[in-house]
Amino acid sequence: MFRNQYDTDVTTWSPAGRLFQVEYAMEAVKQGSAAIGLRSKTHVVLACVNKANSELSSHQKKIFKVDDHIGVAIAGLTADGRVLSRYMRSECINYSFTYESPLPVGRLVVQLADKAQVCTQRSWKRPFGVGLLVGGLDESGAHLYYNCPSGNYFEYQAFAIGSRSQAAKTYLERKFESFMGSSRDDLIKDALFAIKETLQGEKLKSSICTVAVLGVGEPFHILDQETVQQVINAHEIVEEEASAEQEAAAAADQDAPSADEAAPADQGIAPMDI
Amino acid sequence: MTKQHANWSPYDNNGGTCVAIAGADYCVIAADTRMSTGYNILTRDYSKICKLADKCLMASSGFQADVRALQKQLSARHLIYQHQHNKQMSCPAMAQLLSNTLYYKRFFPYYAFNVLGGLDTEGKGCVYTYDAVGSYERVGYSAQGSGATLITPFLDNQLKSPSPLLLPAKDAVTPLTEDEAVDLVKVVFASATERDIYTVSSCVYRVL
């Protein structure tokens, strides 16, 4: 995407029928550090990479509890994410107050999407620069949704957003068919492996990632560092043994990660269709 | 010409009595279970106690519709607090919130007579007593509701709470043990039931 004369306002269409400001907002999501989500029939796991500005500073909070049955992981402008989380919490509390029952996730994501859409059709506003992975539980089971700055939302079995998310997506695409029947612990293990893919060489430690779980009989909560480190340790040994076998398979996968860098080059398809 | 008055009232009194006693490391909150209107009984087992936070319970007598609305309002505000501060509200904090919430409706009050009980930030028992518009005070024990006038003099006699005006400030909490306090509460309700038609001896009590 290059600078052109149709990208100043969000209310200006390009001759090709694109809103560049919205597309630029989606780029902001790609710049943020990775966040992934996956779900089974009964559980949703959200995980993210903690990127701190410097060794001296703390990392930004990217996973928020919205209600006992809903959690969200964000990527992009975390300030926008914080504001949207506050909105989501407020909506959940108001719905609970009026109807004495939890707000269905499906409703919440639609409200979020509508809120995002408003910002794509007002000249005095700008689109939110944050992508949200909303995980929630309702009567029909566990759900995972992705909300874009464009105002679109999609339901996913598993998804990854943010920088180097393509590597995680490749891993998830290989494994997703088994997720529906996965146990809670397997889901957490797969989430950590997906995060590992985005680190590309860097050692996976519990200090650089955050994992949150929610499911049937388990209200949303963020796992503490020790628990996460234990899961990492437990699976690392297995990982090393299988690594020799995986070297051959990895060669084939190398093509997929490079697609991330190649994405800006394919201007023919509007990114909103992802 | 005299002023025309409304031929209906937005309020009703559902009766009942609430009691709370604070101890050194516990707090007993009790409320009877009868809900009435006029001379009729609406239900024999209705709990007037609500858990607002981990260490904070509220018992309220008066108009139960207003009481329920007040409980919901406080619970929702507590959720917001938890999201913002990542911790539960302390009992003193909840006490102030309740006072503010009640005064907010100064000109169309919640017809609720509340007693808040729990453990303060140091783990000591605390009881706060309110009027309908939010005036509150931390005390060692309190009774509210239809049986309050029967119970309070008895508690004054048994618990001998020192005057809050004394210097040096004496602890208002009772030296009684938890079991003794629970027994006292049971006895107090039994006595109130004898003479107050709106109170029954069946009561729910919670100890923190």
Side-chain angles (χ1 to χ4, degrees), chain A residues 61 65-67 86 89 93 96-100, chain B residues 68-69 72-74 76-77 79-80 83-84 86:
Chain A
K61 198 164 165 200
K65 175 171 174 169
V66 169
D67 204 344
R86 196 160 52 225
R89 285 170 177 170
I93 289 174
S96 274
F97 186 95
T98 312
Y99 300 102
E100 298 250 345
Chain B
R68 186 83 190 96
K72 285 176 78 161
Q73 177 81 315
L74 292 172
R77 287 300 306 277
L79 250 187
I80 297 174
H83 280 141
Q84 290 178 340
N86 250 340

Short mmCIF file of all heavy atoms in Angstrom, two decimals, chain A residues 61 65-67 86 89 93 96-100, chain B residues 68-69 72-74 76-77 79-80 83-84 86:
data_model
loop_
_atom_site.label_atom_id
_atom_site.label_comp_id
_atom_site.label_asym_id
_atom_site.label_seq_id
_atom_site.Cartn_x
_atom_site.Cartn_y
_atom_site.Cartn_z
N LYS A 61 -0.73 -4.65 29.02
CA LYS A 61 -1.75 -5.68 29.24
C LYS A 61 -2.49 -5.88 27.93
O LYS A 61 -3.02 -4.92 27.35
CB LYS A 61 -2.70 -5.16 30.32
CG LYS A 61 -3.52 -6.23 30.93
CD LYS A 61 -4.14 -5.74 32.23
CE LYS A 61 -5.23 -6.72 32.61
NZ LYS A 61 -6.20 -6.26 33.51
N LYS A 65 -10.23 -9.45 31.13
CA LYS A 65 -11.44 -10.15 31.51
C LYS A 65 -12.60 -9.20 31.27
O LYS A 65 -12.58 -8.06 31.73
CB LYS A 65 -11.38 -10.53 32.99
CG LYS A 65 -12.67 -11.16 33.48
CD LYS A 65 -12.51 -11.72 34.88
CE LYS A 65 -13.86 -12.19 35.41
NZ LYS A 65 -13.77 -12.96 36.62
N VAL A 66 -13.60 -9.67 30.54
CA VAL A 66 -14.76 -8.82 30.29
C VAL A 66 -15.89 -9.21 31.24
O VAL A 66 -16.61 -8.38 31.75
CB VAL A 66 -15.21 -8.96 28.82
CG1 VAL A 66 -16.55 -8.31 28.58
CG2 VAL A 66 -14.17 -8.36 27.90
N ASP A 67 -16.02 -10.52 31.45
CA ASP A 67 -17.01 -11.02 32.39
C ASP A 67 -16.56 -12.43 32.74
O ASP A 67 -15.59 -12.92 32.18
CB ASP A 67 -18.40 -11.02 31.75
CG ASP A 67 -19.51 -10.97 32.80
OD1 ASP A 67 -19.22 -11.22 33.99
OD2 ASP A 67 -20.66 -10.67 32.43
N ARG A 86 -13.34 -1.68 28.15
CA ARG A 86 -14.17 -1.00 29.16
C ARG A 86 -15.62 -0.96 28.67
O ARG A 86 -16.56 -1.20 29.44
CB ARG A 86 -13.66 0.41 29.42
CG ARG A 86 -14.22 1.01 30.71
CD ARG A 86 -13.39 2.15 31.24
NE ARG A 86 -13.15 3.17 30.25
CZ ARG A 86 -11.97 3.74 30.03
NH1 ARG A 86 -10.92 3.38 30.73
NH2 ARG A 86 -11.84 4.66 29.11
N ARG A 89 -17.09 -4.45 29.06
CA ARG A 89 -17.40 -4.75 30.46
C ARG A 89 -18.69 -4.06 30.87
O ARG A 89 -19.54 -4.63 31.54
CB ARG A 89 -16.27 -4.25 31.36
CG ARG A 89 -15.05 -5.12 31.31
CD ARG A 89 -13.90 -4.47 32.01
NE ARG A 89 -12.74 -5.35 32.03
CZ ARG A 89 -11.53 -4.98 32.40
NH1 ARG A 89 -11.30 -3.74 32.79
NH2 ARG A 89 -10.54 -5.84 32.39
N ILE A 93 -22.17 -5.77 32.20
CA ILE A 93 -22.74 -5.44 33.51
C ILE A 93 -24.16 -4.95 33.35
O ILE A 93 -25.06 -5.36 34.09
CB ILE A 93 -21.87 -4.40 34.24
CG1 ILE A 93 -20.55 -5.04 34.67
CG2 ILE A 93 -22.58 -3.83 35.44
CD1 ILE A 93 -19.56 -4.10 35.28
N SER A 96 -26.47 -7.88 32.45
CA SER A 96 -26.69 -8.71 33.65
C SER A 96 -27.65 -8.06 34.60
O SER A 96 -28.49 -8.72 35.20
CB SER A 96 -25.38 -8.88 34.41
OG SER A 96 -24.66 -9.93 33.91
N PHE A 97 -27.52 -6.75 34.74
CA PHE A 97 -28.37 -6.01 35.66
C PHE A 97 -29.83 -6.08 35.21
O PHE A 97 -30.73 -6.34 36.01
CB PHE A 97 -27.92 -4.55 35.71
CG PHE A 97 -28.64 -3.73 36.74
CD1 PHE A 97 -28.11 -3.55 38.00
CD2 PHE A 97 -29.85 -3.12 36.45
CE1 PHE A 97 -28.76 -2.79 38.96
CE2 PHE A 97 -30.51 -2.36 37.40
CZ PHE A 97 -29.96 -2.20 38.66
N THR A 98 -30.05 -5.90 33.90
CA THR A 98 -31.42 -5.86 33.39
C THR A 98 -32.04 -7.24 33.28
O THR A 98 -33.21 -7.42 33.62
CB THR A 98 -31.44 -5.21 31.99
OG1 THR A 98 -30.69 -4.01 32.04
CG2 THR A 98 -32.86 -4.91 31.54
N TYR A 99 -31.26 -8.22 32.78
CA TYR A 99 -31.83 -9.52 32.48
C TYR A 99 -31.42 -10.62 33.44
O TYR A 99 -31.87 -11.75 33.30
CB TYR A 99 -31.47 -9.94 31.04
CG TYR A 99 -31.98 -8.97 30.01
CD1 TYR A 99 -31.13 -8.04 29.42
CD2 TYR A 99 -33.32 -8.96 29.64
CE1 TYR A 99 -31.60 -7.14 28.48
CE2 TYR A 99 -33.81 -8.06 28.70
CZ TYR A 99 -32.95 -7.15 28.13
OH TYR A 99 -33.41 -6.26 27.21
N GLU A 100 -30.59 -10.28 34.43
CA GLU A 100 -30.12 -11.27 35.42
C GLU A 100 -29.58 -12.52 34.75
O GLU A 100 -29.74 -13.62 35.25
CB GLU A 100 -31.26 -11.65 36.39
CG GLU A 100 -31.80 -10.51 37.21
CD GLU A 100 -31.45 -10.61 38.69
OE1 GLU A 100 -31.04 -11.70 39.14
OE2 GLU A 100 -31.58 -9.60 39.38
N ARG B 68 -33.91 -4.84 46.80
CA ARG B 68 -33.37 -5.64 45.69
C ARG B 68 -32.66 -4.75 44.68
O ARG B 68 -31.57 -5.07 44.21
CB ARG B 68 -34.52 -6.42 45.05
CG ARG B 68 -34.11 -7.39 43.99
CD ARG B 68 -33.64 -8.72 44.56
NE ARG B 68 -33.03 -9.50 43.50
CZ ARG B 68 -31.73 -9.55 43.26
NH1 ARG B 68 -30.89 -8.88 44.02
NH2 ARG B 68 -31.25 -10.26 42.26
N ALA B 69 -33.32 -3.63 44.34
CA ALA B 69 -32.71 -2.70 43.38
C ALA B 69 -31.38 -2.18 43.92
O ALA B 69 -30.39 -2.08 43.19
CB ALA B 69 -33.67 -1.54 43.11
N LYS B 72 -28.67 -4.90 43.63
CA LYS B 72 -28.20 -5.05 42.25
C LYS B 72 -27.27 -3.92 41.88
O LYS B 72 -26.24 -4.11 41.24
CB LYS B 72 -29.39 -5.09 41.28
CG LYS B 72 -30.15 -6.39 41.30
CD LYS B 72 -31.36 -6.33 40.41
CE LYS B 72 -30.99 -6.48 38.95
NZ LYS B 72 -32.14 -6.87 38.13
N GLN B 73 -27.66 -2.72 42.26
CA GLN B 73 -26.87 -1.53 41.96
C GLN B 73 -25.47 -1.67 42.56
O GLN B 73 -24.45 -1.43 41.89
CB GLN B 73 -27.60 -0.32 42.55
CG GLN B 73 -26.93 0.99 42.40
CD GLN B 73 -27.13 1.60 41.03
OE1 GLN B 73 -27.03 0.94 40.01
NE2 GLN B 73 -27.39 2.89 41.01
N LEU B 74 -25.40 -2.05 43.84
CA LEU B 74 -24.11 -2.18 44.53
C LEU B 74 -23.29 -3.30 43.93
O LEU B 74 -22.07 -3.17 43.78
CB LEU B 74 -24.33 -2.40 46.03
CG LEU B 74 -24.90 -1.21 46.79
CD1 LEU B 74 -25.24 -1.61 48.21
CD2 LEU B 74 -23.92 -0.05 46.81
N ALA B 76 -23.33 -4.40 40.85
CA ALA B 76 -22.80 -3.96 39.55
C ALA B 76 -21.62 -3.01 39.77
O ALA B 76 -20.59 -3.13 39.12
CB ALA B 76 -23.90 -3.26 38.74
N ARG B 77 -21.74 -2.08 40.73
CA ARG B 77 -20.64 -1.15 40.99
C ARG B 77 -19.42 -1.91 41.50
O ARG B 77 -18.28 -1.54 41.23
CB ARG B 77 -21.07 -0.11 42.04
CG ARG B 77 -22.04 0.92 41.54
CD ARG B 77 -21.46 1.73 40.38
NE ARG B 77 -20.19 2.33 40.70
CZ ARG B 77 -20.04 3.48 41.35
NH1 ARG B 77 -21.08 4.17 41.71
NH2 ARG B 77 -18.83 3.95 41.60
N LEU B 79 -18.55 -4.93 40.60
CA LEU B 79 -17.92 -5.56 39.43
C LEU B 79 -17.01 -4.57 38.73
O LEU B 79 -15.88 -4.89 38.35
CB LEU B 79 -18.99 -6.02 38.44
CG LEU B 79 -19.22 -7.51 38.27
CD1 LEU B 79 -20.19 -7.73 37.13
CD2 LEU B 79 -17.93 -8.25 38.00
N ILE B 80 -17.50 -3.35 38.56
CA ILE B 80 -16.70 -2.31 37.90
C ILE B 80 -15.43 -2.06 38.70
O ILE B 80 -14.33 -1.96 38.15
CB ILE B 80 -17.52 -1.00 37.77
CG1 ILE B 80 -18.73 -1.23 36.88
CG2 ILE B 80 -16.66 0.11 37.22
CD1 ILE B 80 -19.67 -0.05 36.81
N HIS B 83 -12.94 -4.77 38.10
CA HIS B 83 -12.27 -4.65 36.80
C HIS B 83 -11.20 -3.58 36.84
O HIS B 83 -10.13 -3.74 36.28
CB HIS B 83 -13.29 -4.28 35.71
CG HIS B 83 -14.07 -5.46 35.24
ND1 HIS B 83 -15.41 -5.40 34.95
CD2 HIS B 83 -13.71 -6.73 35.01
CE1 HIS B 83 -15.83 -6.58 34.55
NE2 HIS B 83 -14.82 -7.43 34.59
N GLN B 84 -11.50 -2.47 37.55
CA GLN B 84 -10.56 -1.34 37.54
C GLN B 84 -9.40 -1.52 38.50
O GLN B 84 -8.30 -1.07 38.24
CB GLN B 84 -11.30 -0.05 37.89
CG GLN B 84 -12.25 0.37 36.78
CD GLN B 84 -13.04 1.62 37.15
OE1 GLN B 84 -13.16 1.94 38.33
NE2 GLN B 84 -13.58 2.29 36.16
N ASN B 86 -8.58 -4.60 40.17
CA ASN B 86 -8.07 -5.97 40.27
C ASN B 86 -8.14 -6.54 41.68
O ASN B 86 -7.33 -7.38 42.06
CB ASN B 86 -6.59 -6.03 39.85
CG ASN B 86 -6.46 -6.76 38.53
OD1 ASN B 86 -7.35 -7.50 38.14
ND2 ASN B 86 -5.35 -6.55 37.88
#
